[in-house]
PDB file of all heavy atoms in Angstrom:
ATOM      1  N   GLY A   1      79.063  49.671 114.710  1.00 96.00           N
ATOM      2  CA  GLY A   1      79.676  49.046 115.878  1.00 96.00           C
ATOM      3  C   GLY A   1      79.766  49.890 117.127  1.00 96.00           C
ATOM      4  O   GLY A   1      80.350  49.450 118.123  1.00 96.00           O
ATOM      5  N   PHE A   2      79.192  51.078 117.139  1.00 94.00           N
ATOM      6  CA  PHE A   2      79.194  51.920 118.335  1.00 94.00           C
ATOM      7  C   PHE A   2      78.022  51.533 119.229  1.00 94.00           C
ATOM      8  O   PHE A   2      76.999  51.051 118.746  1.00 94.00           O
ATOM      9  CB  PHE A   2      79.062  53.404 117.960  1.00 94.00           C
ATOM     10  CG  PHE A   2      80.323  54.020 117.426  1.00 94.00           C
ATOM     11  CD1 PHE A   2      80.777  53.725 116.145  1.00 94.00           C
ATOM     12  CD2 PHE A   2      81.053  54.912 118.196  1.00 94.00           C
ATOM     13  CE1 PHE A   2      81.934  54.292 115.645  1.00 94.00           C
ATOM     14  CE2 PHE A   2      82.218  55.488 117.704  1.00 94.00           C
ATOM     15  CZ  PHE A   2      82.661  55.174 116.433  1.00 94.00           C
ATOM     16  N   SER A   3      78.161  51.775 120.517  1.00 92.00           N
ATOM     17  CA  SER A   3      77.062  51.563 121.455  1.00 92.00           C
ATOM     18  C   SER A   3      76.960  52.780 122.365  1.00 92.00           C
ATOM     19  O   SER A   3      77.920  53.544 122.527  1.00 92.00           O
ATOM     20  CB  SER A   3      77.269  50.291 122.271  1.00 92.00           C
ATOM     21  OG  SER A   3      78.496  50.351 122.972  1.00 92.00           O
ATOM     22  N   VAL A   4      75.780  52.946 122.946  1.00 91.00           N
ATOM     23  CA  VAL A   4      75.562  54.079 123.842  1.00 91.00           C
ATOM     24  C   VAL A   4      76.505  53.940 125.031  1.00 91.00           C
ATOM     25  O   VAL A   4      76.650  52.862 125.612  1.00 91.00           O
ATOM     26  CB  VAL A   4      74.094  54.142 124.297  1.00 91.00           C
ATOM     27  CG1 VAL A   4      73.883  55.213 125.353  1.00 91.00           C
ATOM     28  CG2 VAL A   4      73.181  54.378 123.092  1.00 91.00           C
ATOM     29  N   LEU A   5      77.155  55.023 125.372  1.00 83.00           N
ATOM     30  CA  LEU A   5      78.130  55.049 126.459  1.00 83.00           C
ATOM     31  C   LEU A   5      77.420  55.365 127.767  1.00 83.00           C
ATOM     32  O   LEU A   5      76.821  56.416 127.917  1.00 83.00           O
ATOM     33  CB  LEU A   5      79.193  56.117 126.166  1.00 83.00           C
ATOM     34  CG  LEU A   5      80.243  56.337 127.233  1.00 83.00           C
ATOM     35  CD1 LEU A   5      81.115  55.091 127.387  1.00 83.00           C
ATOM     36  CD2 LEU A   5      81.104  57.530 126.855  1.00 83.00           C
ATOM     37  N   ARG A   6      77.500  54.446 128.692  1.00 81.00           N
ATOM     38  CA  ARG A   6      76.893  54.649 129.998  1.00 81.00           C
ATOM     39  C   ARG A   6      77.943  55.056 131.027  1.00 81.00           C
ATOM     40  O   ARG A   6      77.697  55.887 131.872  1.00 81.00           O
ATOM     41  CB  ARG A   6      76.183  53.386 130.452  1.00 81.00           C
ATOM     42  CG  ARG A   6      75.221  52.842 129.401  1.00 81.00           C
ATOM     43  CD  ARG A   6      73.796  52.788 129.871  1.00 81.00           C
ATOM     44  NE  ARG A   6      72.928  52.195 128.875  1.00 81.00           N
ATOM     45  CZ  ARG A   6      72.269  52.878 127.965  1.00 81.00           C
ATOM     46  NH1 ARG A   6      72.384  54.166 127.893  1.00 81.00           N
ATOM     47  NH2 ARG A   6      71.489  52.276 127.096  1.00 81.00           N
ATOM     48  N   ASP A   7      79.112  54.432 130.950  1.00 72.00           N
ATOM     49  CA  ASP A   7      80.211  54.698 131.882  1.00 72.00           C
ATOM     50  C   ASP A   7      81.475  54.822 131.056  1.00 72.00           C
ATOM     51  O   ASP A   7      81.833  53.893 130.338  1.00 72.00           O
ATOM     52  CB  ASP A   7      80.332  53.534 132.872  1.00 72.00           C
ATOM     53  CG  ASP A   7      81.537  53.657 133.797  1.00 72.00           C
ATOM     54  OD1 ASP A   7      82.223  54.694 133.786  1.00 72.00           O
ATOM     55  OD2 ASP A   7      81.792  52.693 134.538  1.00 72.00           O
ATOM     56  N   PRO A   8      82.175  55.958 131.126  1.00 69.00           N
ATOM     57  CA  PRO A   8      83.362  56.113 130.290  1.00 69.00           C
ATOM     58  C   PRO A   8      84.484  55.140 130.618  1.00 69.00           C
ATOM     59  O   PRO A   8      85.404  54.974 129.836  1.00 69.00           O
ATOM     60  CB  PRO A   8      83.791  57.564 130.505  1.00 69.00           C
ATOM     61  CG  PRO A   8      83.020  58.072 131.653  1.00 69.00           C
ATOM     62  CD  PRO A   8      81.864  57.160 131.875  1.00 69.00           C
ATOM     63  N   GLY A   9      84.428  54.471 131.773  1.00 70.00           N
ATOM     64  CA  GLY A   9      85.436  53.469 132.097  1.00 70.00           C
ATOM     65  C   GLY A   9      86.841  54.035 132.203  1.00 70.00           C
ATOM     66  O   GLY A   9      87.793  53.417 131.747  1.00 70.00           O
ATOM     67  N   ILE A  10      86.957  55.195 132.778  1.00 70.00           N
ATOM     68  CA  ILE A  10      88.246  55.864 132.905  1.00 70.00           C
ATOM     69  C   ILE A  10      88.789  55.626 134.312  1.00 70.00           C
ATOM     70  O   ILE A  10      88.100  55.921 135.298  1.00 70.00           O
ATOM     71  CB  ILE A  10      88.103  57.386 132.655  1.00 70.00           C
ATOM     72  CG1 ILE A  10      87.471  57.668 131.296  1.00 70.00           C
ATOM     73  CG2 ILE A  10      89.430  58.097 132.824  1.00 70.00           C
ATOM     74  CD1 ILE A  10      88.293  57.263 130.116  1.00 70.00           C
ATOM     75  N   ASP A  11      90.001  55.119 134.404  1.00 68.00           N
ATOM     76  CA  ASP A  11      90.601  54.919 135.726  1.00 68.00           C
ATOM     77  C   ASP A  11      90.921  56.275 136.345  1.00 68.00           C
ATOM     78  O   ASP A  11      91.087  57.274 135.636  1.00 68.00           O
ATOM     79  CB  ASP A  11      91.851  54.033 135.627  1.00 68.00           C
ATOM     80  CG  ASP A  11      92.956  54.699 134.838  1.00 68.00           C
ATOM     81  OD1 ASP A  11      93.687  55.508 135.434  1.00 68.00           O
ATOM     82  OD2 ASP A  11      93.082  54.405 133.623  1.00 68.00           O
ATOM     83  N   PRO A  12      91.016  56.348 137.675  1.00 67.00           N
ATOM     84  CA  PRO A  12      91.222  57.649 138.346  1.00 67.00           C
ATOM     85  C   PRO A  12      92.465  58.409 137.876  1.00 67.00           C
ATOM     86  O   PRO A  12      92.429  59.632 137.747  1.00 67.00           O
ATOM     87  CB  PRO A  12      91.326  57.276 139.824  1.00 67.00           C
ATOM     88  CG  PRO A  12      90.584  55.987 139.941  1.00 67.00           C
ATOM     89  CD  PRO A  12      90.810  55.272 138.632  1.00 67.00           C
ATOM     90  N   GLY A  13      93.556  57.729 137.604  1.00 72.00           N
ATOM     91  CA  GLY A  13      94.764  58.407 137.146  1.00 72.00           C
ATOM     92  C   GLY A  13      94.576  59.059 135.792  1.00 72.00           C
ATOM     93  O   GLY A  13      94.979  60.209 135.577  1.00 72.00           O
ATOM     94  N   THR A  14      93.957  58.327 134.876  1.00 72.00           N
ATOM     95  CA  THR A  14      93.696  58.879 133.547  1.00 72.00           C
ATOM     96  C   THR A  14      92.672  60.009 133.644  1.00 72.00           C
ATOM     97  O   THR A  14      92.819  61.044 132.996  1.00 72.00           O
ATOM     98  CB  THR A  14      93.199  57.777 132.592  1.00 72.00           C
ATOM     99  OG1 THR A  14      94.178  56.748 132.539  1.00 72.00           O
ATOM    100  CG2 THR A  14      92.936  58.321 131.205  1.00 72.00           C
ATOM    101  N   TYR A  15      91.650  59.818 134.462  1.00 67.00           N
ATOM    102  CA  TYR A  15      90.645  60.861 134.648  1.00 67.00           C
ATOM    103  C   TYR A  15      91.294  62.169 135.094  1.00 67.00           C
ATOM    104  O   TYR A  15      90.973  63.243 134.575  1.00 67.00           O
ATOM    105  CB  TYR A  15      89.585  60.412 135.658  1.00 67.00           C
ATOM    106  CG  TYR A  15      88.488  61.427 135.871  1.00 67.00           C
ATOM    107  CD1 TYR A  15      87.341  61.391 135.094  1.00 67.00           C
ATOM    108  CD2 TYR A  15      88.601  62.430 136.829  1.00 67.00           C
ATOM    109  CE1 TYR A  15      86.331  62.333 135.263  1.00 67.00           C
ATOM    110  CE2 TYR A  15      87.597  63.376 137.010  1.00 67.00           C
ATOM    111  CZ  TYR A  15      86.470  63.313 136.228  1.00 67.00           C
ATOM    112  OH  TYR A  15      85.482  64.248 136.396  1.00 67.00           O
ATOM    113  N   SER A  16      92.223  62.076 136.033  1.00 69.00           N
ATOM    114  CA  SER A  16      92.874  63.291 136.540  1.00 69.00           C
ATOM    115  C   SER A  16      93.674  64.001 135.455  1.00 69.00           C
ATOM    116  O   SER A  16      93.861  65.212 135.511  1.00 69.00           O
ATOM    117  CB  SER A  16      93.765  62.977 137.744  1.00 69.00           C
ATOM    118  OG  SER A  16      94.895  62.245 137.359  1.00 69.00           O
ATOM    119  N   GLU A  17      94.131  63.278 134.445  1.00 76.00           N
ATOM    120  CA  GLU A  17      94.813  63.897 133.305  1.00 76.00           C
ATOM    121  C   GLU A  17      93.797  64.466 132.305  1.00 76.00           C
ATOM    122  O   GLU A  17      93.933  65.591 131.839  1.00 76.00           O
ATOM    123  CB  GLU A  17      95.721  62.884 132.608  1.00 76.00           C
ATOM    124  CG  GLU A  17      96.899  62.432 133.441  1.00 76.00           C
ATOM    125  CD  GLU A  17      97.915  63.531 133.684  1.00 76.00           C
ATOM    126  OE1 GLU A  17      98.068  64.426 132.822  1.00 76.00           O
ATOM    127  OE2 GLU A  17      98.544  63.509 134.752  1.00 76.00           O
ATOM    128  N   LEU A  18      92.778  63.679 131.976  1.00 72.00           N
ATOM    129  CA  LEU A  18      91.796  64.105 130.968  1.00 72.00           C
ATOM    130  C   LEU A  18      91.007  65.325 131.424  1.00 72.00           C
ATOM    131  O   LEU A  18      90.632  66.163 130.600  1.00 72.00           O
ATOM    132  CB  LEU A  18      90.842  62.959 130.640  1.00 72.00           C
ATOM    133  CG  LEU A  18      91.448  61.761 129.927  1.00 72.00           C
ATOM    134  CD1 LEU A  18      90.398  60.673 129.740  1.00 72.00           C
ATOM    135  CD2 LEU A  18      92.062  62.152 128.597  1.00 72.00           C
ATOM    136  N   VAL A  19      90.759  65.435 132.709  1.00 71.00           N
ATOM    137  CA  VAL A  19      89.979  66.553 133.222  1.00 71.00           C
ATOM    138  C   VAL A  19      90.699  67.887 132.994  1.00 71.00           C
ATOM    139  O   VAL A  19      90.083  68.946 133.018  1.00 71.00           O
ATOM    140  CB  VAL A  19      89.625  66.331 134.711  1.00 71.00           C
ATOM    141  CG1 VAL A  19      90.821  66.588 135.613  1.00 71.00           C
ATOM    142  CG2 VAL A  19      88.421  67.146 135.113  1.00 71.00           C
ATOM    143  N   ARG A  20      91.987  67.837 132.703  1.00 71.00           N
ATOM    144  CA  ARG A  20      92.764  69.051 132.429  1.00 71.00           C
ATOM    145  C   ARG A  20      92.573  69.569 130.999  1.00 71.00           C
ATOM    146  O   ARG A  20      92.995  70.670 130.677  1.00 71.00           O
ATOM    147  CB  ARG A  20      94.248  68.776 132.656  1.00 71.00           C
ATOM    148  CG  ARG A  20      94.557  68.435 134.084  1.00 71.00           C
ATOM    149  CD  ARG A  20      95.996  68.066 134.252  1.00 71.00           C
ATOM    150  NE  ARG A  20      96.189  67.492 135.578  1.00 71.00           N
ATOM    151  CZ  ARG A  20      97.357  67.194 136.071  1.00 71.00           C
ATOM    152  NH1 ARG A  20      98.455  67.395 135.367  1.00 71.00           N
ATOM    153  NH2 ARG A  20      97.455  66.676 137.270  1.00 71.00           N
ATOM    154  N   SER A  21      91.949  68.775 130.157  1.00 74.00           N
ATOM    155  CA  SER A  21      91.720  69.191 128.776  1.00 74.00           C
ATOM    156  C   SER A  21      90.775  70.385 128.740  1.00 74.00           C
ATOM    157  O   SER A  21      89.790  70.435 129.472  1.00 74.00           O
ATOM    158  CB  SER A  21      91.119  68.035 127.970  1.00 74.00           C
ATOM    159  OG  SER A  21      90.742  68.478 126.686  1.00 74.00           O
ATOM    160  N   HIS A  22      91.063  71.325 127.846  1.00 72.00           N
ATOM    161  CA  HIS A  22      90.189  72.488 127.658  1.00 72.00           C
ATOM    162  C   HIS A  22      89.147  72.225 126.580  1.00 72.00           C
ATOM    163  O   HIS A  22      88.327  73.089 126.292  1.00 72.00           O
ATOM    164  CB  HIS A  22      91.016  73.722 127.293  1.00 72.00           C
ATOM    165  CG  HIS A  22      91.956  74.131 128.386  1.00 72.00           C
ATOM    166  ND1 HIS A  22      91.523  74.721 129.537  1.00 72.00           N
ATOM    167  CD2 HIS A  22      93.293  73.987 128.506  1.00 72.00           C
ATOM    168  CE1 HIS A  22      92.555  74.947 130.326  1.00 72.00           C
ATOM    169  NE2 HIS A  22      93.642  74.512 129.723  1.00 72.00           N
ATOM    170  N   ASP A  23      89.180  71.052 125.984  1.00 72.00           N
ATOM    171  CA  ASP A  23      88.293  70.718 124.880  1.00 72.00           C
ATOM    172  C   ASP A  23      86.886  70.419 125.398  1.00 72.00           C
ATOM    173  O   ASP A  23      86.705  69.625 126.315  1.00 72.00           O
ATOM    174  CB  ASP A  23      88.858  69.506 124.127  1.00 72.00           C
ATOM    175  CG  ASP A  23      88.103  69.249 122.864  1.00 72.00           C
ATOM    176  OD1 ASP A  23      86.989  68.691 122.933  1.00 72.00           O
ATOM    177  OD2 ASP A  23      88.622  69.595 121.788  1.00 72.00           O
ATOM    178  N   GLU A  24      85.885  71.047 124.794  1.00 72.00           N
ATOM    179  CA  GLU A  24      84.503  70.852 125.226  1.00 72.00           C
ATOM    180  C   GLU A  24      84.000  69.435 124.951  1.00 72.00           C
ATOM    181  O   GLU A  24      83.163  68.919 125.684  1.00 72.00           O
ATOM    182  CB  GLU A  24      83.581  71.883 124.564  1.00 72.00           C
ATOM    183  CG  GLU A  24      83.868  73.308 125.027  1.00 72.00           C
ATOM    184  CD  GLU A  24      83.750  73.481 126.542  1.00 72.00           C
ATOM    185  OE1 GLU A  24      82.697  73.166 127.120  1.00 72.00           O
ATOM    186  OE2 GLU A  24      84.742  73.941 127.144  1.00 72.00           O
ATOM    187  N   GLY A  25      84.503  68.798 123.891  1.00 71.00           N
ATOM    188  CA  GLY A  25      84.122  67.414 123.629  1.00 71.00           C
ATOM    189  C   GLY A  25      84.555  66.497 124.757  1.00 71.00           C
ATOM    190  O   GLY A  25      83.811  65.605 125.169  1.00 71.00           O
ATOM    191  N   MET A  26      85.759  66.712 125.272  1.00 73.00           N
ATOM    192  CA  MET A  26      86.230  65.905 126.392  1.00 73.00           C
ATOM    193  C   MET A  26      85.401  66.204 127.638  1.00 73.00           C
ATOM    194  O   MET A  26      85.054  65.304 128.393  1.00 73.00           O
ATOM    195  CB  MET A  26      87.717  66.165 126.666  1.00 73.00           C
ATOM    196  CG  MET A  26      88.263  65.389 127.862  1.00 73.00           C
ATOM    197  SD  MET A  26      87.944  63.591 127.864  1.00 73.00           S
ATOM    198  CE  MET A  26      88.847  63.075 126.425  1.00 73.00           C
ATOM    199  N   ALA A  27      85.068  67.468 127.853  1.00 70.00           N
ATOM    200  CA  ALA A  27      84.255  67.833 129.012  1.00 70.00           C
ATOM    201  C   ALA A  27      82.906  67.127 128.970  1.00 70.00           C
ATOM    202  O   ALA A  27      82.423  66.637 129.997  1.00 70.00           O
ATOM    203  CB  ALA A  27      84.076  69.347 129.074  1.00 70.00           C
ATOM    204  N   GLU A  28      82.308  67.050 127.791  1.00 71.00           N
ATOM    205  CA  GLU A  28      81.031  66.341 127.679  1.00 71.00           C
ATOM    206  C   GLU A  28      81.213  64.843 127.840  1.00 71.00           C
ATOM    207  O   GLU A  28      80.386  64.169 128.443  1.00 71.00           O
ATOM    208  CB  GLU A  28      80.341  66.674 126.355  1.00 71.00           C
ATOM    209  CG  GLU A  28      79.753  68.063 126.371  1.00 71.00           C
ATOM    210  CD  GLU A  28      78.673  68.260 125.342  1.00 71.00           C
ATOM    211  OE1 GLU A  28      77.923  67.312 125.062  1.00 71.00           O
ATOM    212  OE2 GLU A  28      78.588  69.382 124.824  1.00 71.00           O
ATOM    213  N   PHE A  29      82.304  64.302 127.302  1.00 71.00           N
ATOM    214  CA  PHE A  29      82.581  62.872 127.449  1.00 71.00           C
ATOM    215  C   PHE A  29      82.660  62.503 128.932  1.00 71.00           C
ATOM    216  O   PHE A  29      82.125  61.493 129.369  1.00 71.00           O
ATOM    217  CB  PHE A  29      83.887  62.518 126.734  1.00 71.00           C
ATOM    218  CG  PHE A  29      84.329  61.097 126.938  1.00 71.00           C
ATOM    219  CD1 PHE A  29      83.706  60.055 126.265  1.00 71.00           C
ATOM    220  CD2 PHE A  29      85.380  60.797 127.787  1.00 71.00           C
ATOM    221  CE1 PHE A  29      84.122  58.740 126.441  1.00 71.00           C
ATOM    222  CE2 PHE A  29      85.796  59.490 127.973  1.00 71.00           C
ATOM    223  CZ  PHE A  29      85.168  58.454 127.298  1.00 71.00           C
ATOM    224  N   LEU A  30      83.344  63.345 129.713  1.00 68.00           N
ATOM    225  CA  LEU A  30      83.520  63.087 131.150  1.00 68.00           C
ATOM    226  C   LEU A  30      82.341  63.581 131.988  1.00 68.00           C
ATOM    227  O   LEU A  30      82.326  63.384 133.194  1.00 68.00           O
ATOM    228  CB  LEU A  30      84.809  63.763 131.639  1.00 68.00           C
ATOM    229  CG  LEU A  30      86.104  63.222 131.042  1.00 68.00           C
ATOM    230  CD1 LEU A  30      87.281  64.087 131.497  1.00 68.00           C
ATOM    231  CD2 LEU A  30      86.326  61.763 131.394  1.00 68.00           C
ATOM    232  N   GLU A  31      81.371  64.236 131.341  1.00 67.00           N
ATOM    233  CA  GLU A  31      80.212  64.818 132.010  1.00 67.00           C
ATOM    234  C   GLU A  31      80.629  65.783 133.116  1.00 67.00           C
ATOM    235  O   GLU A  31      80.143  65.727 134.240  1.00 67.00           O
ATOM    236  CB  GLU A  31      79.283  63.727 132.549  1.00 67.00           C
ATOM    237  CG  GLU A  31      78.643  62.911 131.456  1.00 67.00           C
ATOM    238  CD  GLU A  31      77.598  61.945 131.969  1.00 67.00           C
ATOM    239  OE1 GLU A  31      77.886  61.200 132.938  1.00 67.00           O
ATOM    240  OE2 GLU A  31      76.496  61.947 131.415  1.00 67.00           O
ATOM    241  N   LEU A  32      81.542  66.681 132.783  1.00 61.00           N
ATOM    242  CA  LEU A  32      82.028  67.653 133.755  1.00 61.00           C
ATOM    243  C   LEU A  32      80.991  68.742 134.005  1.00 61.00           C
ATOM    244  O   LEU A  32      80.299  69.176 133.084  1.00 61.00           O
ATOM    245  CB  LEU A  32      83.334  68.289 133.269  1.00 61.00           C
ATOM    246  CG  LEU A  32      84.498  67.324 133.050  1.00 61.00           C
ATOM    247  CD1 LEU A  32      85.724  68.092 132.565  1.00 61.00           C
ATOM    248  CD2 LEU A  32      84.825  66.545 134.322  1.00 61.00           C
ATOM    249  N   ALA A  33      80.934  69.203 135.227  1.00 55.00           N
ATOM    250  CA  ALA A  33      79.959  70.219 135.608  1.00 55.00           C
ATOM    251  C   ALA A  33      80.222  71.546 134.914  1.00 55.00           C
ATOM    252  O   ALA A  33      79.312  72.352 134.766  1.00 55.00           O
ATOM    253  CB  ALA A  33      79.973  70.398 137.119  1.00 55.00           C
ATOM    254  N   ARG A  34      81.455  71.790 134.446  1.00 50.00           N
ATOM    255  CA  ARG A  34      81.776  73.085 133.837  1.00 50.00           C
ATOM    256  C   ARG A  34      81.118  73.285 132.474  1.00 50.00           C
ATOM    257  O   ARG A  34      81.122  74.379 131.928  1.00 50.00           O
ATOM    258  CB  ARG A  34      83.289  73.267 133.714  1.00 50.00           C
ATOM    259  CG  ARG A  34      83.951  72.437 132.651  1.00 50.00           C
ATOM    260  CD  ARG A  34      85.437  72.818 132.566  1.00 50.00           C
ATOM    261  NE  ARG A  34      86.190  71.913 131.740  1.00 50.00           N
ATOM    262  CZ  ARG A  34      86.307  72.023 130.424  1.00 50.00           C
ATOM    263  NH1 ARG A  34      85.703  72.993 129.785  1.00 50.00           N
ATOM    264  NH2 ARG A  34      87.029  71.165 129.752  1.00 50.00           N
ATOM    265  N   VAL A  35      80.573  72.233 131.898  1.00 50.00           N
ATOM    266  CA  VAL A  35      79.864  72.390 130.627  1.00 50.00           C
ATOM    267  C   VAL A  35      78.376  72.210 130.868  1.00 50.00           C
ATOM    268  O   VAL A  35      77.964  71.473 131.749  1.00 50.00           O
ATOM    269  CB  VAL A  35      80.323  71.362 129.560  1.00 50.00           C
ATOM    270  CG1 VAL A  35      81.759  71.587 129.185  1.00 50.00           C
ATOM    271  CG2 VAL A  35      80.080  69.951 129.994  1.00 50.00           C
ATOM    272  N   LYS A  36      77.611  72.907 130.085  1.00 48.00           N
ATOM    273  CA  LYS A  36      76.178  72.673 130.122  1.00 48.00           C
ATOM    274  C   LYS A  36      75.977  71.269 129.574  1.00 48.00           C
ATOM    275  O   LYS A  36      76.346  70.974 128.443  1.00 48.00           O
ATOM    276  CB  LYS A  36      75.460  73.700 129.250  1.00 48.00           C
ATOM    277  CG  LYS A  36      73.973  73.500 129.209  1.00 48.00           C
ATOM    278  CD  LYS A  36      73.338  74.534 128.311  1.00 48.00           C
ATOM    279  CE  LYS A  36      71.874  74.210 128.148  1.00 48.00           C
ATOM    280  NZ  LYS A  36      71.266  74.992 127.098  1.00 48.00           N
ATOM    281  N   GLN A  37      75.433  70.417 130.375  1.00 48.00           N
ATOM    282  CA  GLN A  37      75.336  69.023 129.979  1.00 48.00           C
ATOM    283  C   GLN A  37      74.596  68.865 128.656  1.00 48.00           C
ATOM    284  O   GLN A  37      73.539  69.451 128.451  1.00 48.00           O
ATOM    285  CB  GLN A  37      74.644  68.202 131.072  1.00 48.00           C
ATOM    286  CG  GLN A  37      75.495  68.089 132.324  1.00 48.00           C
ATOM    287  CD  GLN A  37      76.850  67.477 132.055  1.00 48.00           C
ATOM    288  OE1 GLN A  37      76.945  66.389 131.526  1.00 48.00           O
ATOM    289  NE2 GLN A  37      77.908  68.169 132.398  1.00 48.00           N
ATOM    290  N   ASN A  38      75.209  68.070 127.815  1.00 50.00           N
ATOM    291  CA  ASN A  38      74.616  67.716 126.534  1.00 50.00           C
ATOM    292  C   ASN A  38      74.105  68.946 125.796  1.00 50.00           C
ATOM    293  O   ASN A  38      72.920  69.083 125.544  1.00 50.00           O
ATOM    294  CB  ASN A  38      73.507  66.696 126.739  1.00 50.00           C
ATOM    295  CG  ASN A  38      73.637  65.560 125.774  1.00 50.00           C
ATOM    296  OD1 ASN A  38      74.273  65.696 124.746  1.00 50.00           O
ATOM    297  ND2 ASN A  38      73.032  64.452 126.110  1.00 50.00           N
ATOM    298  N   THR A  39      75.031  69.798 125.447  1.00 52.00           N
ATOM    299  CA  THR A  39      74.736  71.084 124.830  1.00 52.00           C
ATOM    300  C   THR A  39      73.712  70.961 123.705  1.00 52.00           C
ATOM    301  O   THR A  39      72.806  71.763 123.596  1.00 52.00           O
ATOM    302  CB  THR A  39      76.037  71.708 124.273  1.00 52.00           C
ATOM    303  OG1 THR A  39      76.970  71.782 125.343  1.00 52.00           O
ATOM    304  CG2 THR A  39      75.785  73.078 123.716  1.00 52.00           C
ATOM    305  N   LEU A  40      73.849  69.960 122.865  1.00 53.00           N
ATOM    306  CA  LEU A  40      72.933  69.807 121.734  1.00 53.00           C
ATOM    307  C   LEU A  40      71.825  68.798 121.999  1.00 53.00           C
ATOM    308  O   LEU A  40      70.912  68.666 121.207  1.00 53.00           O
ATOM    309  CB  LEU A  40      73.720  69.366 120.489  1.00 53.00           C
ATOM    310  CG  LEU A  40      74.743  70.357 119.949  1.00 53.00           C
ATOM    311  CD1 LEU A  40      75.498  69.747 118.785  1.00 53.00           C
ATOM    312  CD2 LEU A  40      74.079  71.646 119.528  1.00 53.00           C
ATOM    313  N   GLY A  41      71.919  68.047 123.079  1.00 66.00           N
ATOM    314  CA  GLY A  41      70.937  67.004 123.337  1.00 66.00           C
ATOM    315  C   GLY A  41      71.265  65.719 122.618  1.00 66.00           C
ATOM    316  O   GLY A  41      70.405  64.881 122.372  1.00 66.00           O
TER     317      GLY A  41
END
């Protein structure tokens, strides 16, 4: 039941909270510049 994620659908308020996470999985989910994009491909 999973589908490829194109847009995380995060509202700006939630995004501003999630971006504070130090977790690399969250950084990749949000496609943050601080992580090497798609570390494993």
Side-chain angles (χ1 to χ4, degrees):
F2 283 74
S3 58
V4 173
L5 177 66
R6 309 241 183 268
D7 174 7
I10 304 294
D11 65 83
T14 302
Y15 182 91
S16 70
E17 293 292 329
L18 293 177
V19 76
R20 296 175 191 187
S21 173
H22 296 287
D23 189 283
E24 294 302 304
M26 178 52 64
E28 286 201 34
F29 174 76
L30 295 174
E31 294 187 311
L32 299 180
R34 73 175 170 86
V35 295
K36 178 181 173 192
Q37 292 302 304
N38 227 339
T39 304
L40 296 176

